[in-house]
Amino acid sequence: MLYLSRKLYFSAAHFYKVADWTEEENQKAFGPCSHSNGHGHDYALEVMVKGKLKQDSGIVVNITDIDQVVKAFVHSNLDGKFLNKENGYFAKNIPTTENIITYLWNAFEGMMENCTLHKIRLRENDFLYAEKEDSSMVRLTRKYHFSTAHRLHSSQLTAEENTAIFGKCNNQFGHGHNYYLEVTVQGKVDPVTGMIANIGDMDRIIDQMVLQKFDHKHLNLDTQEFADLNPTSENVAIVTWNLLSDELPNLFKIGLYETEKNYFEYFGPDGE
């Protein structure tokens, strides 16, 4: 089985509002997204399909065939639209990122010839995206940034072994990175709010449990979590999971960018 993806872009406006709620209730749940005049995004949509290689052509499916299906649907139903007012589905369903990706999945599934829809990802901005595969679950990823210093040094190794393994990262005074943390939750979309998690609640929890502990700190010297634990990015990802798992019961994955070249994922002790 081979997998291939195609990316396209569209722009749309929307607002989040439950008609039966008061303004105060909508503001509490959705914040500025509840403003009735709306706001907008430049969305990036990635559509991944899977299929078997055709020996005669050397391809799975002609990428232009995917373009025709996806672009035609997006252009007609989403691009340049005010979703709440110009799309019948979103007149009844709040156009959250989770609901939009569910709408797209249901539209595209079965429309592709000679291949099968595998996964779609919808990026609302650089710090928020949703994903869906062939299940009732939707994943939502929120991205955060923190700056910190650390020294890669294990008390279980000799000085020579630490130097050999970690090189300049074993510098006794430490060094630093701009970390980017991705926190992914997974669940069924709430039929009323259109969300699987409240972004405001996620932001508050992650700020309190992770960012305030690590941002502008020296992990070895300023944190309890790494006082006796080597602050490799592998360990930072695991510690972050442990800090958040009780607060975010639908936590699916921790992703950590140490640099643009180094990325780490952790799915929990029972994960993949």
Side-chain angles (χ1 to χ4, degrees):
M1 193 67 68
L2 290 169
Y3 300 79
L4 60 100
S5 64
R6 189 67 164 167
K7 181 183 287 188
L8 69 150
Y9 303 89
F10 66 93
S11 301
H14 62 178
F15 60 80
Y16 298 174
K17 192 179 289 291
V18 178
D20 294 336
W21 289 3
T22 66
E23 286 296 326
E24 290 75 17
E25 289 172 324
N26 277 290
Q27 176 68 28
K28 182 178 180 181
F30 304 123
C33 293
S34 67
H35 181 55
S36 296
N37 289 333
H39 63 284
H41 300 286
D42 294 314
Y43 292 93
L45 173 65
E46 299 173 53
V47 178
M48 178 174 283
V49 300
K50 61 183 177 181
K52 293 185 178 180
L53 183 72
K54 296 180 178 64
Q55 296 300 322
D56 56 349
S57 64
I59 63 174
V60 173
V61 62
N62 194 322
I63 201 74
T64 59
D65 292 340
I66 298 176
D67 269 358
Q68 289 177 356
V69 171
V70 173
K71 286 185 176 180
F73 183 86
V74 169
H75 177 75
S76 297
N77 296 279
L78 300 174
D79 191 30
K81 309 292 186 185
F82 197 123
L83 299 181
N84 308 70
K85 301 179 180 182
E86 298 182 84
N87 183 299
Y89 181 85
F90 296 114
K92 300 177 181 179
N93 299 275
I94 298 175
T96 60
T97 312
E98 298 98 312
N99 265 342
I100 296 174
I101 203 169
T102 302
Y103 169 76
L104 288 169
W105 179 275
N106 293 337
F108 295 154
E109 191 175 25
M111 290 178 64
M112 311 287 184
E113 295 184 2
N114 304 315
C115 62
T116 303
L117 184 62
H118 175 65
K119 179 171 67 174
I120 56 177
R121 174 183 291 173
L122 182 66
R123 192 175 296 274
E124 183 178 283
N125 55 52
D126 290 340
F127 295 91
L128 182 70
Y129 65 86
E131 292 177 308
K132 181 167 172 52
E133 297 182 37
D134 189 16
S135 77
S136 60
M137 297 290 188
V138 171
R139 295 192 292 270
L140 187 72
T141 298
R142 184 73 158 156
K143 191 173 186 178
Y144 303 86
H145 168 260
F146 62 94
S147 301
T148 193
H150 67 172
R151 181 195 185 197
L152 299 188
H153 183 87
S154 172
S155 60
Q156 302 177 51
L157 302 175
T158 66
E160 292 76 15
E161 289 172 328
N162 274 291
T163 300
I165 293 173
F166 302 119
K168 66 180 182 180
C169 295
N170 186 239
N171 170 34
Q172 63 174 321
F173 301 111
H175 64 287
H177 298 287
N178 288 316
Y179 289 92
Y180 285 92
L181 170 68
E182 292 188 340
V183 179
T184 302
V185 294
Q186 176 176 265
K188 294 184 178 180
V189 178
D190 185 286
V192 176
T193 66
M195 301 189 298
I196 63 172
N198 186 293
I199 295 299
D201 291 341
M202 283 186 65
D203 289 349
R204 174 181 53 79
I205 290 168
I206 292 162
D207 179 68
Q208 179 181 347
M209 301 302 298
V210 180
L211 302 184
Q212 290 185 30
K213 291 177 182 287
F214 298 161
D215 189 33
H216 285 76
K217 303 289 175 58
H218 191 302
L219 296 181
N220 310 68
L221 304 178
D222 296 326
T223 70
Q224 291 182 334
E225 289 77 11
F226 296 102
D228 300 305
L229 181 66
N230 193 14
T232 61
S233 289
E234 292 91 332
N235 276 332
V236 173
I238 293 171
V239 166
T240 300
W241 174 283
N242 293 336
L243 290 170
L244 294 176
S245 57
D246 288 341
E247 302 292 332
L248 298 173
N250 57 346
L251 183 61
F252 176 74
K253 180 185 73 174
I254 295 297
L256 185 69
Y257 288 89
E258 180 184 86
T259 68
E260 291 185 358
K261 296 180 180 180
N262 298 337
Y263 174 71
F264 304 81
E265 287 186 343
Y266 183 61
F267 291 84
D270 302 318
E272 299 177 5

